Every structure is written in C-alpha cells, then in structure tokens.
Amino acid sequence: MAHVTNPNAEALLDKELPCLNAGFVRLVDYMGGDEAIVQAARVSYGKGTKSVNEDRGLIRYLMRHLHTTPFEMVELKFHVKLPIFVARQWIRHRTANVNEYSGRYSVMKDEFYVPEHGAIHFQSIKNKQGRSGDEVPAELRGRVLDILTSSQTQMYREYEQMLESDIARELARINLPLSMYTEWYWKIDLHNLFHFLRLRIDPHAQYEIRVYGEAMAEITKAVAPMAWEAFEDYILKSERFSRLELAVISERMSHEGLTVESLTAKGLSKREAEEFIEKMGRIKPSGA
C-alpha cells in the first residue's frame, strides 16, 4: 500500500491551535489514517473481513468489538506548550513517547498560566478533586489573580538572580511554580490517543487539560475521520451498565417492534441492527 496523505490533516501540520493564555497544540507529523486501520485489519483477519466490504463499516465493527490493534497502526506526533501542572496530569498516560523541555540545560521562559476570571471557582463539596459551579465574587477573583501574578513575578525574579550569580540552572529552577509553561513533543498511537481523549475531554476532567484535549480532538478528526466517528458513537457518547443496572433495565424494557428494518430506518447498518437485536436478547425482559 502506498503512503497515503490526508488533505485535512496536511492543512493542520505545523499550525498552532491556541490553548489557555499562552499554550498551544501543534500537529508535527502523522503516520496513517483510516486507510491504515483498514489495511492492518484485513491483513490480520484475512477472509473473515470479506463480509464487511466497506471501510467505514469495517472500522465501526473493529471499534464496536474492541479490536484495538488496527488502531495502533496510526500515530500522531504533537508539539505541546502547557503549564507544568497540566503536564503532570498528562504524563500519567504512560502509553506515549515524550521528550520535554529541560530546565537543567536551558533557561526557563518567563511565561505563566493565569486563569481567566471565568475559570476561577470555589472547591466542589461533592467532588474532592474538582470545582463547583458557584459564582465567585468579582472582588475575590481579582484577589486570586493578584496573588498568582505577584507570586509568579517574584519567583521568576529570584530565579533570574540566581542565574546571574552563576548558580546551576538545575538548582535555580527548583522554586519555580507549577503555573510555569513547559513544552514537549508527544507521540502516541490512535488507540491510546482515544483512551486519553475519552478521559480528558470528559466534562469531569479539569478545565485546563480539557482545553488541550479538545484541540487534539479536532486534529484527530482530521487525521482519521471515520475512526473518530466510530469512537464518538461507541465509546465517547456511549454508556456502560453494570449487571445490577441491566437487571433494572430488563424490568422496564420491551422487545415490541424491534426488527432489523425498524433499526436500519433509525440509521443503524444491517449488521449493527442484527448485533443490537442479539444484544438485547441477552437482556431478558421481566417475566421472560
């Protein structure tokens, strides 16, 4: 199979998508797209895929049945500029290749994340690691911003003073705050990128990392649009149910009118409709 490029992805190469007050996400390079997923699957499955005679249908089948290996054939490389506290959340995803800007070798830049007024919230009572939706008075928001900016200015001034005294960069940097920006190159395959995005564009994710996730989602859609559609349908916007929850659902459900024809009329493919009916058959209605 010849090397394939995607015009929409090519248009995004080296384009900075702004994030927060001074950050960005930039697509540096990509390898493969929807075609690479299909190619890998057909090598692996051989004759078994002949009944799935269309690329979109095959990709949706793979996503629906969690056959993840073909998605690993696609890779994306990003250049990201982000606050250090966001980077520390991000690096928990250990399935990527990362090379970060080093404060041991280079002077850290005088750039800090300062939240917008609308991003300042009280601590949530229900969620120990999140923010509440309650409105913060303008005076208090202003005080928070003053504390952040004055501390950032002071710590960077002291950092410069140590550098001017020829203190080693690896020591001078240690008091710099988590709000300082860093940069890295981050390369990951599509399967693991989908896992990252599922968690990081979720409404429960911290706002700051969600901004980066949404920018990367736009890039991912351009690189592999059919794979993104399948991810959105079967993972991102789907729901999971426990055994006990399924028992509750079974008490209230009815199979009346559940036919392949009725389901295809709602947009499902014939194969999806058949699989759905089979799935629903495993959830026995009450009294069955």
Side-chain angles (χ1 to χ4, degrees):
M1 178 179 177
H3 175 70
V4 177
T5 58
N6 181 323
N8 292 329
E10 292 290 313
L12 286 173
L13 281 174
D14 294 322
K15 179 181 178 182
E16 291 184 3
L17 277 61
C19 296
L20 305 180
N21 64 312
F24 61 76
V25 170
R26 181 169 69 89
L27 179 65
V28 176
D29 201 0
Y30 68 98
M31 183 184 76
D34 291 324
E35 299 89 345
I37 299 167
V38 169
Q39 179 195 37
R42 290 191 169 130
V43 166
S44 174
Y45 281 57
K47 294 180 180 179
T49 62
K50 284 192 175 181
S51 59
V52 184
N53 57 10
E54 184 258 331
D55 288 354
R56 178 175 176 271
L58 175 54
I59 287 172
R60 292 177 69 82
Y61 176 88
L62 294 169
M63 184 69 73
R64 193 162 66 246
H65 291 276
L66 303 179
H67 296 309
T68 59
T69 306
F71 296 97
E72 295 174 9
M73 300 299 116
V74 181
E75 292 193 342
L76 294 88
K77 185 194 294 183
F78 299 96
H79 176 197
V80 187
K81 182 178 178 182
L82 69 171
I84 291 174
F85 74 91
V86 175
R88 297 304 158 252
Q89 285 187 322
W90 194 313
I91 205 67
R92 290 174 60 82
H93 298 268
R94 299 180 296 275
T95 51
N97 307 113
V98 186
N99 194 50
E100 185 175 359
Y101 185 94
S102 173
R104 293 185 68 198
Y105 298 106
S106 305
V107 175
M108 299 295 288
K109 299 174 184 177
D110 184 11
E111 291 183 299
F112 299 89
Y113 169 58
V114 180
E116 297 178 355
H117 278 254
I120 299 174
H121 294 275
F122 290 117
Q123 174 64 42
S124 171
I125 298 174
K126 297 179 180 179
N127 182 359
K128 292 183 179 180
Q129 62 178 5
R131 310 172 197 185
S132 75
D134 296 339
E135 186 72 18
V136 176
E139 181 184 353
L140 179 53
R141 278 196 234 135
R143 202 182 332 147
V144 169
L145 292 174
D146 286 343
I147 291 171
L148 291 175
T149 54
S150 63
S151 298
Q152 291 164 354
T153 300
Q154 177 184 338
M155 283 186 277
Y156 195 80
R157 186 185 305 121
E158 292 168 348
Y159 170 68
E160 287 183 309
Q161 289 170 356
M162 285 188 277
L163 293 179
E164 289 167 2
S165 299
D166 206 27
I167 298 299
R169 287 187 290 272
E170 66 180 21
L171 289 173
R173 67 178 176 163
I174 64 178
N175 261 15
L176 291 171
L178 294 175
S179 58
M180 173 165 269
Y181 275 88
T182 184
E183 297 183 36
W184 63 28
Y185 272 59
W186 193 71
K187 181 169 71 71
I188 191 167
D189 68 67
L190 186 60
H191 165 59
N192 284 296
L193 177 56
F194 280 152
H195 177 68
F196 173 88
L197 292 174
R198 180 180 68 82
L199 296 174
R200 297 307 182 181
I201 62 177
D202 185 274
H204 296 96
Q206 184 168 344
Y207 164 75
E208 285 80 8
I209 200 168
R210 203 163 68 237
V211 169
Y212 286 90
E214 288 166 354
M216 295 171 74
E218 290 303 313
I219 294 172
T220 307
K221 290 177 193 178
V223 172
M226 287 190 288
W228 176 267
E229 179 195 35
F231 166 67
E232 199 170 39
D233 286 350
Y234 297 121
I235 307 295
L236 193 59
K237 295 184 178 179
S238 68
E239 294 290 345
R240 296 173 60 185
F241 296 99
S242 69
R243 177 179 61 84
L244 297 177
E245 289 168 336
L246 286 173
V248 174
I249 291 171
S250 72
E251 293 176 359
R252 290 161 172 75
M253 64 177 278
S254 169
H255 287 85
E256 186 177 349
L258 199 61
T259 64
V260 170
E261 291 74 18
S262 66
L263 293 172
T264 54
K266 295 183 181 296
L268 277 71
S269 69
K270 182 173 182 292
R271 191 185 187 103
E272 286 175 303
E274 291 169 345
E275 290 180 6
F276 179 72
I277 291 173
E278 181 182 346
K279 190 186 302 181
M280 294 300 287
R282 294 195 291 271
I283 307 174
K284 302 296 182 184
S286 180

